[in-house]
Amino acid sequence: MLEVKDIHTYYNLSHVLFGVSIRVEKGEAVCLLGRNGVGKTTTLKSIVGLTPPKHGQILYQGQDITKLPTRRMVSRGIRFVPDDRRIFADLTVRENLEVAQAGVPKRGTWTLERVYELFPVLEKFGDRRGGYLSGGEQQMLSIARAMLGDPELLILDEPTEGLAPLIVRELEDQILKLKATGIAILLAEQNLKSALRIADRCYILEKGQVCYEGTVADLLQNEEVRTKYLLA
């Protein structure tokens, strides 16, 4: 479904990604792992066109999207949930969801009712302003807004960051339910336990390069790699 080939990305004159290559298959969950500042978020932003790579290629469903504007990703079935969530703080939960639906061509079955089934707290707090939600509730709202566009590829940047352990486990369960519907998921995550519970395969980044690729089972058995690249 998604293939990133040898991309090099810069912030002004600063070279951030050095030949990153990853792939995500249909219905698969893939996680980018690594410490702060290794290039995880930049990789995601490169894919969705927020920081386009200067070199390399990005293929989605066999088509080159390397230079495609971010707004065009939506019509291709790609949704990106950034780490800052970007909900409308002054709008209610219901209004946030209605805005997400506006002007988006319907291809699938993600309706408000189905979103509420996955995230019942959003229906409960439908009249609450987004700015008054907890961090976990805001994250659920961000993901719910993305799902209303019926994505085939959902990209999540640090979805569990800053959340309480009980909320993290609830969010993990909800992401696993999304995965069970057949959607492909690519996420960047520092929470190793969450990543290993959600993902099928992992890539570890170090200094803007992929230094390890393997299945979750392989990574669980490789203490040397975990200690070298993931533990503080």
Tab-separated table of all heavy atoms in Angstrom, residues 4 12 33 56 63 65 74 133 165 182:
chain	number	residue	atom	x	y	z
A	4	VAL	N	8.026	3.833	0.852
A	4	VAL	CA	8.897	4.999	0.932
A	4	VAL	C	10.293	4.538	0.539
A	4	VAL	O	10.851	3.621	1.145
A	4	VAL	CB	8.905	5.589	2.354
A	4	VAL	CG1	9.862	6.767	2.448
A	4	VAL	CG2	7.493	6.006	2.759
A	12	ASN	N	15.202	23.642	5.923
A	12	ASN	CA	16.101	24.669	5.409
A	12	ASN	C	17.400	24.000	4.954
A	12	ASN	O	17.374	23.155	4.074
A	12	ASN	CB	16.329	25.760	6.458
A	12	ASN	CG	15.042	26.492	6.809
A	12	ASN	OD1	14.244	26.787	5.914
A	12	ASN	ND2	14.836	26.780	8.082
A	33	LEU	N	9.942	3.596	15.576
A	33	LEU	CA	10.425	3.708	16.944
A	33	LEU	C	11.742	4.471	16.975
A	33	LEU	O	12.447	4.573	15.973
A	33	LEU	CB	10.634	2.318	17.546
A	33	LEU	CG	9.375	1.485	17.838
A	33	LEU	CD1	9.763	0.033	18.073
A	33	LEU	CD2	8.629	2.038	19.032
A	56	GLY	N	14.437	10.972	-3.374
A	56	GLY	CA	13.728	9.750	-3.051
A	56	GLY	C	12.320	9.752	-3.611
A	56	GLY	O	11.906	10.683	-4.312
A	63	GLN	N	1.136	4.456	-6.973
A	63	GLN	CA	1.248	5.750	-7.635
A	63	GLN	C	2.215	6.657	-6.878
A	63	GLN	O	2.243	6.658	-5.645
A	63	GLN	CB	-0.127	6.420	-7.744
A	63	GLN	CG	-1.108	5.636	-8.597
A	63	GLN	CD	-2.414	6.382	-8.820
A	63	GLN	OE1	-2.656	7.420	-8.220
A	63	GLN	NE2	-3.256	5.850	-9.682
A	65	ILE	N	3.388	9.722	-5.112
A	65	ILE	CA	2.765	10.864	-4.436
A	65	ILE	C	3.825	11.781	-3.820
A	65	ILE	O	3.502	12.625	-2.991
A	65	ILE	CB	1.772	10.403	-3.344
A	65	ILE	CG1	2.496	9.625	-2.234
A	65	ILE	CG2	0.638	9.573	-3.940
A	65	ILE	CD1	1.645	9.393	-0.994
A	74	VAL	N	-6.000	13.675	1.029
A	74	VAL	CA	-7.312	13.334	1.572
A	74	VAL	C	-8.126	12.538	0.555
A	74	VAL	O	-8.729	11.511	0.879
A	74	VAL	CB	-8.072	14.611	1.992
A	74	VAL	CG1	-9.494	14.290	2.389
A	74	VAL	CG2	-7.342	15.296	3.146
A	133	LEU	N	-11.864	19.080	26.901
A	133	LEU	CA	-11.636	17.636	26.953
A	133	LEU	C	-10.277	17.329	27.564
A	133	LEU	O	-9.349	18.140	27.492
A	133	LEU	CB	-11.694	17.039	25.546
A	133	LEU	CG	-13.005	17.162	24.770
A	133	LEU	CD1	-12.825	16.597	23.367
A	133	LEU	CD2	-14.145	16.459	25.497
A	165	PRO	N	-1.709	6.001	32.063
A	165	PRO	CA	-1.641	4.588	31.657
A	165	PRO	C	-2.996	3.953	31.320
A	165	PRO	O	-3.099	3.200	30.343
A	165	PRO	CB	-0.997	3.918	32.880
A	165	PRO	CG	-0.153	4.995	33.481
A	165	PRO	CD	-0.925	6.272	33.271
A	182	GLY	N	-9.347	-3.647	8.771
A	182	GLY	CA	-8.589	-3.786	7.534
A	182	GLY	C	-7.842	-2.541	7.113
A	182	GLY	O	-7.142	-2.549	6.091
